[in-house]
Amino acid sequence: MKIGVQVYSVRDDAAADFRGTMQKIRQMGYDGVELAGTYGLSAAQIKSVLAETGLEAISAHVPLVEMTEKPDETFAFYKEIGCTYVAVPYMSEELRPGTPNFPHTIELIRKACADAARYGLTMLYHNHDFEFVKVDGVYGLDLLYSSIGPELLQTELDTCWVKVAGEDPAAYIRKYAGRAPIVHLKDFYKEEGADRDSMYELIGINKKAKQSSAFEFRALGLGMQDFPPIIEAAKEAGAGWLVVEQDRPSQGMTPMECIEVSRKFLRAIEA
């Protein structure tokens, strides 16, 4: 499996110096990047920088509203960059499982999947923990994947949020064997009873919640995840990419230092 990094992890660095940040990512030993934003650059500019640095354009996290309101413009852009996948990164609160709008959400994603396919792109869905709400006895995430077939929608399981939701990440990856091309590796520390709102403040979603040391994202190997079984499950499931993601830095490190520690950790356990 190849190792990539979600650029959201180092978003401020990328915004300030995209080329320099990509060069450093490559020097750390990453094989590719998953985009989350374009930093005012054209598709041609991004493609040129990635080619220059030797990084593959794995995928891009793109808001669902962009995919549905401007499908041709959006998918043509990421196709030009050279992405293989495009991912729905998040559901706003009113669209989630457990709300009356969830059936409509599934149809929006189905339409986006079909539009992506017209451009030769494969759609992924990237979960948090709120998809682990049951709808008629079934997790919303599983309902989404059973409602839209694998020929249109593949998984991008975020192992941190699977764990936070109370499920075993390795088992969940195996559940979607053959449908898990990219697995997100994310470590974290969580105290018993940590406030859920604080987790979402950390990714910039719940602006009103206070940050809390009861939950923090961490570089791989410095938190609560047991990665060897997760990586083995990803291999068995046929994943082509392991993608490092850390929504916020912690433990006094910069974002770039965090992803470097994560890459070194993966190199050490690969040995």
Side-chain angles (χ1 to χ4, degrees):
M1 292 180 292
K2 295 180 181 180
I3 308 296
V5 65
Q6 168 52 262
V7 180
Y8 185 76
S9 309
V10 291
R11 53 197 175 276
D12 292 340
D13 297 272
D17 180 5
F18 186 77
R19 174 177 277 100
T21 300
M22 296 303 106
Q23 289 171 338
K24 290 175 184 177
I25 286 172
R26 182 59 179 151
Q27 288 164 4
M28 290 177 193
Y30 285 100
D31 302 302
V33 292
E34 183 174 53
L35 300 166
T38 59
Y39 310 104
L41 300 173
S42 69
Q45 287 172 317
I46 293 172
K47 182 177 182 178
S48 175
V49 169
L50 296 183
E52 175 189 323
T53 54
L55 289 166
E56 292 186 46
I58 311 163
S59 177
H61 279 195
V62 182
L64 182 58
V65 66
E66 286 187 29
M67 300 185 197
T68 54
E69 292 184 357
K70 302 181 294 182
D72 291 308
E73 178 182 338
T74 298
F75 295 122
F77 187 94
Y78 291 102
K79 181 66 175 179
E80 182 180 348
I81 290 172
C83 293
T84 301
Y85 304 97
V86 176
V88 179
Y90 184 75
M91 287 181 192
S92 55
E93 197 166 349
E94 71 278 4
L95 296 177
R96 296 176 187 172
T99 72
N101 290 326
F102 187 55
H104 175 61
T105 304
I106 292 175
E107 293 312 309
L108 287 177
I109 294 174
R110 188 194 310 278
K111 172 67 164 53
C113 289
D115 287 333
R118 290 193 290 107
Y119 285 86
L121 296 165
T122 299
M123 187 72 74
L124 310 171
Y125 182 81
H126 168 267
N127 64 281
H128 291 76
D129 69 329
F130 52 73
E131 296 90 348
F132 290 86
V133 168
K134 289 195 173 179
V135 179
D136 297 326
V138 178
Y139 283 139
L141 186 63
D142 293 324
L143 183 58
L144 172 65
Y145 287 132
S146 65
S147 299
I148 304 174
E151 71 282 357
L152 286 178
L153 182 63
Q154 299 276 300
T155 74
E156 185 174 64
L157 294 172
D158 184 301
T159 55
C160 164
W161 292 113
V162 172
K163 182 76 169 178
V164 168
E167 293 291 338
D168 174 17
Y172 227 81
I173 292 166
R174 287 190 176 92
K175 182 176 182 176
Y176 286 101
R179 196 178 179 180
I182 301 175
V183 172
H184 266 207
L185 301 184
K186 185 187 295 182
D187 213 343
F188 69 97
Y189 169 79
K190 178 179 180 290
E191 291 181 3
E192 191 69 32
D195 185 283
R196 184 175 179 275
D197 283 343
S198 70
M199 304 178 198
Y200 282 91
E201 194 284 332
L202 283 169
I203 58 174
I205 290 169
N206 188 341
K207 301 292 187 182
K208 296 178 181 178
K210 293 182 179 179
Q211 290 193 36
S212 169
S213 60
F215 181 93
E216 62 183 17
F217 299 107
R218 290 189 176 180
L220 302 191
L222 300 181
M224 302 176 74
Q225 289 277 42
D226 185 9
F227 283 106
I230 290 172
I231 293 170
E232 185 59 33
K235 289 179 182 175
E236 292 177 12
W241 285 93
L242 300 175
V243 170
V244 171
E245 182 180 41
Q246 186 171 344
D247 301 70
R248 286 280 182 97
S250 64
Q251 299 181 294
M253 291 186 284
T254 67
M256 292 296 285
E257 288 170 341
C258 286
I259 66 167
E260 185 169 20
V261 167
S262 292
R263 186 65 189 96
K264 288 179 178 177
F265 170 78
L266 290 175
R267 190 175 288 114
I269 65 173
E270 287 168 359

